[in-house]
Amino acid sequence: MRQHTRRSQAQDFPQILAHLEEQKRMLCNARAHTGQRPARKNDNIATISLFNFTRMSTQRKQESDLGIMRTSFIPPPYAPCAQPFCDLKKVMFDDLVLETHHRGTYLLVRVVTPQNRMNAIMAIVEDERNEVLLLQLYHQTEMSEDILVPGQVLIIKDPYLKLTADGGYGLRVDHLSDVVFLPAHDGRIPFCWHSELTNPQHKSADYWKTKGNDCFRQSKYLAAVEQALVCSPTPEEGHTIKLNRALVLLKMGHFDEALANTDSATSDFNAKDNEKALFRRAQALYGLRRYRECCDVLKTLRLAYPGNTAAIAKLNEAISRLAEQTTGKYQFAKFRLEATRLRPPQLNHATYIGPVEVHQSGSRGSGLFTTRAVKAGELIFCEKALVYVFHKRDGSSSDDRLMSTILIDINTGNFTIGAQPELITMLVQKVYQNPSLASTVRDLHRGSYSPVQGTFDITDGKPVIDSFLLTRILLLNNFACRLQDTQADGQPTLSSALDRVPSLGLWAFASRMNHSCISNAYRSFIGDMMIVRATKDIPANSEVTIQYLNPTNPHRQKKFVQNWAFSCECAMCQDDDQTSSSVIAKRNRLGESIQAMLRLMTRRGSSSGAGSIASLIRKCSAGLAELESTYNNPAEKVPRLALWKGYRDLACALTMAGAGVNSHFDKIIEAGLKGLQCLGFAIEGGGAGRGKKLVIQTWGYAGEGLVDCWLCLKDAYTVTGSHELALAAESYARMCHRIYYGDDESYGKLG
Ligand SMILES: C[S@@+](CC[C@H](N)C(=O)[O-])C[C@H]1O[C@@H](n2cnc3c(N)ncnc32)[C@H](O)[C@@H]1O
């Protein structure tokens, strides 16, 4: 469960490289046409017919092709339009030239075909001169509802005319804020495009209300919002429409706008409407995770309308969230239950930020620092994902679809397999629809990307969204959460990469943590909650670090540079640099031969008799002594991972083989304690001449298999009658379990 998302280089995978090269060739070809007028004009009938034909064949293909790999590209970035509409000059299709962003201008277009949904949402649109063009909108909603419907009128800011893959041309819009969907009554819609849809004044407010309610019942939320806008209502009708809009907006997760529609300061709601307004307001605040304000609104509601049982239930829920948020006291058993029940496992729990805050960390940018001393095993924070995409390979079609999306960054040659495109769209949508969340992501690490001035500012009522900036932020800061750490250390293959597709998310606070191979914290996941605990005692004002990649990965330095543009300079990486390749080869050879002996020991087990096991132990011990001689630095400074693995596995193999071979329990204890020393643990008691005390004086590196090691020690102490020591060993096993899995409750229940 260690990594951030794995990114790979296209050059290591011939199939991906071919895609990338082809895309680069097309880009180069397109650039050669920059500033030129399109060679030929679109024939309207032919363009619409071809589009409709492609749309129908795409639909057939999508129905039959689930599971086929899709490719999606991150193109060279360009800035969104940061100017308000009133500063833009209207242009027509005829004014556009190829491969050019027409800054300071806008197009007014009307949709003439149903939409086609591929990587982008596409339709044919016309301008006021009845010229037609293909329109491609990226990062639009993942909702099943169509957003481009015939008759819909749009404004496209700073239009960008592109050569398409098939040699044609079309409009491409990557930034959500560069497209404005005009409501039917908008005064900018020319008279010649008016219809029933665009001439709402002909119907009563009641007509539009009923139409909106019908759309809501059919889960056509976008259409329902649209209906709620079209009419000139009385103040009373206006309130009802606002509340209906709030309900739809809550369904769509547009909490900021839902909040605005329930503001009693701007609407003089009557008593019945006020009850609804307060409840919907509380729901919006809950959705924005503003639990204290949510409780306040619900308390007002409860006082004014004591019979409202839904409000009482919601208040109890909000009080629980607030308690979690302020105390960090969670019932993790509930987490696990919800995580098995819910698909996707997005849990209804709050973020708790413990004794840490964000500070500058020298050349690493920001980092997390303790505000007081923290004990090993202590909860540092527990965060709910801002956005999350679940992936579980259970053969369901939506999972297969996620599994098979390859996202290639044409700028870097990096690619990822999995749900990144969905996660990027989710983030872009979330911030666009809830501008109050921009502050959560705007300052996250973005590498060398510099956004245009005015990004995230509210312009024409919506935030200016740079989807390339959010893509960059997401790729640098997202975490992968898989059930097991299946990282392969050898040369990766495409099929092995496909096998490791994880769930993904953005945890904004957690993404402030820098990497160290010798980290002092560990993250685990239950559903979309990330739990970060200290793996050792951390003094006050110290940086909290995690491992981005497993330190046993010999390619990790290359990956750090490739994925996050830094080189790790921890003591372990420095030690690796100073260790010759012949010593590394010797370590690997010795490690393998020790593992082979341990396998033999486990297979022979108790049936082979003490003599045979004793001889294997001797050989193993000799191998381990030789392995030890390959390390120079003290274990407290540089953990000796290969040696730890050898000793830990010896303790485990003897535990499995050792029933009835009593004399080896001392050896288990010796191997277990020696293994812990190899990780830099300083332990008092528990060894020869045992006594009753077993105390970790200094916690070492949180190596894999710590729980198993402590359990082997516990068993050995139990069998040899050292019951106090067995109890202490078990409490350490439990503590290590808490560090690795996040909770105590699942101790003994998970693998
Ligand atoms: C997920 S962000 C971590 C937080 C980041 N430092 C910030 O300012 O928000 C990852 C980035 O942090 C920096 N970083 C993380 N660990 C580092 C390390 N051990 N040494 C140098 N830079 C590191 C790199 O720039 C990396 O791309």
Side-chain angles (χ1 to χ4, degrees):
M1 280 192 276
R2 236 180 212 120
Q3 307 97 320
H4 278 61
T5 313
R6 287 172 61 88
R7 260 176 283 165
S8 309
Q9 269 280 304
Q11 67 199 32
D12 299 333
F13 298 87
Q15 305 99 306
I16 307 276
L17 188 61
H19 269 304
L20 178 64
E21 292 301 329
E22 172 65 7
Q23 199 67 20
K24 281 188 171 166
R25 198 188 53 69
M26 285 191 316
L27 196 68
C28 209
N29 175 42
R31 281 197 176 136
H33 291 80
T34 303
Q36 294 176 3
R37 296 213 163 268
R40 58 189 157 73
K41 261 193 166 189
N42 275 337
D43 170 326
N44 284 12
I45 295 179
T47 307
I48 292 170
S49 306
L50 181 64
F51 177 83
N52 281 333
F53 176 77
T54 313
R55 184 171 59 83
M56 283 186 285
S57 51
T58 314
Q59 273 168 5
R60 273 199 300 275
K61 207 163 151 33
Q62 278 172 354
E63 275 155 24
S64 61
D65 269 5
L66 285 169
I68 300 272
M69 204 178 286
R70 285 157 187 241
T71 315
S72 174
F73 289 92
I74 303 175
Y78 66 91
C81 174
Q83 285 176 273
F85 174 77
C86 59
D87 290 351
L88 303 179
K89 187 173 140 268
K90 190 176 189 175
V91 289
M92 297 284 167
F93 291 168
D94 265 351
D95 301 318
L96 304 181
V97 290
L98 287 168
E99 296 299 324
T100 303
H101 301 280
H102 296 80
R103 298 287 175 195
T105 71
Y106 76 93
L107 286 169
L108 188 70
V109 301
R110 180 166 71 156
V111 179
V112 293
T113 62
Q115 72 175 36
N116 191 11
R117 190 186 281 263
M118 292 188 7
N119 285 334
I121 293 181
M122 297 179 285
I124 300 294
V125 293
E126 62 179 349
D127 66 5
E128 285 164 84
R129 293 185 188 146
N130 292 111
E131 303 283 346
V132 297
L133 265 182
L134 174 72
L135 172 66
Q136 297 175 306
L137 298 181
Y138 284 81
H139 301 304
Q140 290 295 336
T141 171
E142 281 291 296
M143 289 169 73
S144 54
E145 205 176 336
D146 285 359
I147 58 163
L148 294 179
V149 287
Q152 170 71 54
V153 181
L154 315 162
I155 280 172
I156 295 162
K157 293 177 163 184
D158 287 4
Y160 173 32
L161 187 65
K162 262 204 73 57
L163 273 185
T164 51
D166 59 4
Y169 51 93
L171 297 162
R172 175 174 178 132
V173 186
D174 288 272
H175 305 294
L176 288 189
S177 49
D178 281 356
V179 56
V180 183
F181 289 77
L182 295 187
H185 63 288
D186 195 289
R188 290 167 288 188
I189 299 178
F191 185 74
C192 58
W193 283 351
H194 279 193
S195 63
E196 186 215 51
L197 188 73
T198 54
N199 203 356
Q201 315 300 351
H202 295 165
K203 305 276 185 206
S204 69
D206 213 40
Y207 168 87
W208 292 110
K209 199 182 102 188
T210 313
K211 231 175 154 191
N213 288 345
D214 288 348
C215 291
F216 185 78
R217 269 192 295 277
Q218 292 162 33
S219 306
K220 292 183 180 168
Y221 301 125
L222 293 167
V225 172
E226 171 81 354
Q227 307 308 332
L229 276 173
V230 289
C231 62
S232 309
T234 61
E236 193 96 321
E237 287 168 340
H239 294 156
T240 313
I241 287 172
K242 269 191 172 185
L243 291 177
N244 283 356
R245 264 178 72 72
L247 185 65
V248 182
L249 291 162
L250 286 172
K251 278 271 178 202
M252 295 197 294
H254 302 185
F255 301 117
D256 277 359
E257 217 182 323
L259 211 53
N261 276 273
T262 54
D263 189 355
S264 51
T266 54
S267 304
D268 191 14
F269 294 116
N270 64 29
K272 191 163 150 270
D273 283 346
N274 196 38
E275 184 176 3
K276 272 190 194 166
L278 285 170
F279 192 67
R280 287 178 193 169
R281 190 167 185 74
Q283 284 176 302
L285 288 165
Y286 194 96
L288 289 167
R289 304 176 189 174
R290 288 158 56 177
Y291 301 115
R292 195 176 294 280
E293 290 164 81
C294 176
C295 285
D296 291 346
V297 171
L298 287 166
K299 281 176 190 162
T300 310
L301 174 56
R302 194 186 48 178
L303 273 180
Y305 307 93
N308 189 329
T309 49
I312 293 169
K314 193 77 197 166
L315 177 60
N316 288 337
E317 211 181 330
I319 287 172
S320 303
R321 293 298 80 75
L322 190 59
E324 288 174 343
Q325 197 175 53
T326 46
T327 65
K329 290 198 176 124
Y330 293 101
Q331 289 179 286
F332 287 109
K334 272 195 180 166
F335 277 37
R336 295 213 177 267
L337 213 64
E338 283 176 37
T340 18
R341 211 163 24 85
L342 297 172
R343 285 295 168 269
Q346 289 178 293
L347 310 193
N348 183 12
H349 291 285
T351 295
Y352 159 76
I353 307 293
V356 264
E357 56 192 22
V358 179
H359 286 302
Q360 195 61 24
S361 175
S363 59
R364 303 158 174 222
S366 303
L368 288 192
F369 288 78
T370 49
T371 52
R372 60 162 171 79
V374 171
K375 286 271 168 217
E378 201 181 320
L379 182 66
I380 299 179
F381 65 90
C382 175
E383 187 176 9
K384 178 162 170 68
L386 182 66
V387 282
Y388 175 79
V389 178
F390 177 63
H391 180 265
K392 180 170 178 280
R393 294 190 71 181
D394 61 1
S396 79
S397 55
S398 68
D399 287 340
D400 288 348
R401 190 168 64 84
L402 292 183
M403 180 196 78
S404 51
T405 311
I406 298 180
L407 180 68
I408 307 177
D409 187 342
I410 201 159
N411 310 288
T412 59
N414 282 349
F415 78 92
T416 49
I417 297 177
Q420 271 83 4
E422 279 80 359
L423 197 66
I424 291 168
T425 296
M426 261 184 203
L427 180 65
V428 170
Q429 284 283 340
K430 188 143 198 170
V431 179
Y432 184 61
Q433 305 300 357
N434 296 289
S436 66
L437 297 177
S439 59
T440 316
V441 289
R442 64 183 308 153
D443 296 327
L444 294 186
H445 184 59
R446 54 168 184 258
S448 55
Y449 190 94
S450 48
V452 71
Q453 179 126 29
T455 304
F456 295 121
D457 285 359
I458 303 292
T459 308
D460 298 330
K462 285 282 189 183
V464 172
I465 291 292
D466 180 343
S467 51
F468 294 105
L469 169 67
L470 290 174
T471 299
R472 193 66 192 276
I473 286 178
L474 200 101
L475 291 179
L476 282 168
N477 293 284
N478 74 111
F479 287 87
C481 42
R482 59 189 98 239
L483 294 176
Q484 271 152 14
D485 189 350
T486 49
Q487 180 162 317
D489 290 340
Q491 185 60 23
T493 63
L494 193 53
S495 72
S496 71
L498 280 170
D499 280 343
R500 296 196 303 272
V501 171
S503 297
L504 294 176
L506 179 69
W507 287 264
F509 189 75
S511 69
R512 292 301 193 172
M513 281 186 293
N514 288 313
H515 161 89
S516 173
C517 298
I518 315 177
S519 58
N520 54 16
Y522 195 88
R523 63 177 179 275
S524 55
F525 298 91
I526 307 181
D528 70 335
M529 301 295 294
M530 184 195 289
I531 302 161
V532 174
R533 289 187 182 274
T535 59
K536 46 178 77 167
D537 297 340
I538 312 176
N541 306 318
S542 307
E543 180 156 11
V544 173
T545 54
I546 47 163
Q547 293 170 347
Y548 290 5
L549 295 172
N550 193 327
T552 57
N553 182 341
H555 311 293
R556 67 185 188 281
Q557 282 296 6
K558 188 177 150 206
K559 295 265 171 203
F560 291 140
V561 174
Q562 187 183 306
N563 290 352
W564 298 283
F566 77 89
S567 302
C568 182
E569 287 169 5
C570 73
M572 208 186 305
C573 287
Q574 286 178 20
D575 186 71
D576 276 2
D577 283 348
Q578 287 154 10
T579 308
S580 69
S581 50
S582 62
V583 171
I584 303 265
K586 185 176 175 188
R587 257 182 216 165
N588 291 342
R589 208 179 50 247
L590 284 167
E592 276 162 27
S593 89
I594 291 165
Q595 288 300 322
M597 284 186 268
L598 294 176
R599 278 196 295 278
L600 208 59
M601 197 183 286
T602 316
R603 230 177 294 137
R604 285 191 193 163
S606 53
S607 60
S608 60
S612 163
I613 297 276
S615 135
L616 280 171
I617 292 175
R618 265 195 308 279
K619 285 188 195 158
C620 248
S621 301
L624 286 164
E626 209 181 338
L627 189 56
E628 188 164 5
S629 71
T630 67
Y631 289 95
N632 289 323
N633 277 308
E636 311 82 71
K637 187 168 173 239
V638 180
R640 302 170 167 189
L641 299 189
L643 199 56
W644 148 250
K645 183 167 156 57
Y647 278 116
R648 176 202 65 197
D649 290 349
L650 174 59
C652 290
L654 283 171
T655 303
M656 281 204 264
V661 194
N662 258 348
S663 59
H664 297 137
F665 287 112
D666 283 347
K667 196 74 205 171
I668 293 174
I669 293 167
E670 190 188 315
L673 293 177
K674 190 84 202 248
L676 291 166
Q677 268 172 28
C678 295
L679 294 178
F681 278 82
I683 293 170
E684 187 190 340
R690 270 173 218 139
K692 296 192 170 184
K693 214 169 161 193
L694 175 71
V695 180
I696 296 180
Q697 298 289 4
T698 309
W699 281 75
Y701 173 93
E704 276 166 39
L706 267 181
V707 178
D708 290 342
C709 182
W710 282 113
L711 286 177
C712 290
L713 285 168
K714 178 208 132 192
D715 287 352
Y717 290 133
T718 306
V719 176
T720 52
S722 305
H723 296 296
E724 288 88 352
L725 301 187
L727 278 176
E730 173 152 44
S731 83
Y732 286 130
R734 192 180 276 278
M735 201 142 155
C736 292
H737 175 94
R738 188 191 307 153
I739 291 170
Y740 286 126
Y741 293 95
D743 66 332
D744 271 16
E745 290 90 331
S746 62
Y747 175 74
K749 296 181 191 151
L750 298 174

